[in-house]
Amino acid sequence: MANLLAAVGGNGSEPREAPDLSRRELEVLRLIAEGVRSPAIANELGIAVGTVEVHRRNIMRKLGLHSVAELTRYAVREGLIAP
């Protein structure tokens, strides 16, 4: 999973190489894409809700995405979750 490539924003931008996401960021991304809300993610991972939000912002910044829908589409495309 460390070689996540071809992050595409929802604005039709060209695919670009995505920076590596940490193991924790990948966990948070998978849970967000599955529709789990921040308090439940925090509870499941044993972290604060604010930390979940920081991870979400960092993931979106690294991938150049701007919404949960884009995160979900990315996670499906990269095989992090089933379609």
Side-chain angles (χ1 to χ4, degrees):
M1 277 194 254
N3 291 325
L4 297 176
L5 300 177
V8 178
N11 59 4
S13 62
E14 290 298 314
R16 60 185 171 87
E17 185 172 325
D20 288 338
L21 297 178
S22 71
R23 179 187 57 80
R24 182 64 93 188
E25 288 170 335
L26 288 169
E27 289 174 317
V28 171
L29 173 56
R30 181 184 55 79
L31 292 167
I32 290 169
E34 289 175 350
V36 181
R37 298 185 59 97
S38 293
I41 294 172
N43 186 51
E44 182 170 329
L45 298 180
I47 59 178
V49 174
T51 303
V52 173
E53 296 304 323
V54 168
H55 284 308
R56 180 193 318 259
R57 282 193 303 272
N58 289 341
I59 293 164
M60 294 173 94
R61 179 184 45 80
K62 286 180 178 182
L63 299 178
L65 304 175
H66 306 288
S67 70
V68 172
E70 289 176 337
L71 286 175
T72 301
R73 188 171 68 220
Y74 178 86
V76 169
R77 185 175 60 242
E78 295 300 324
L80 298 174
I81 64 169

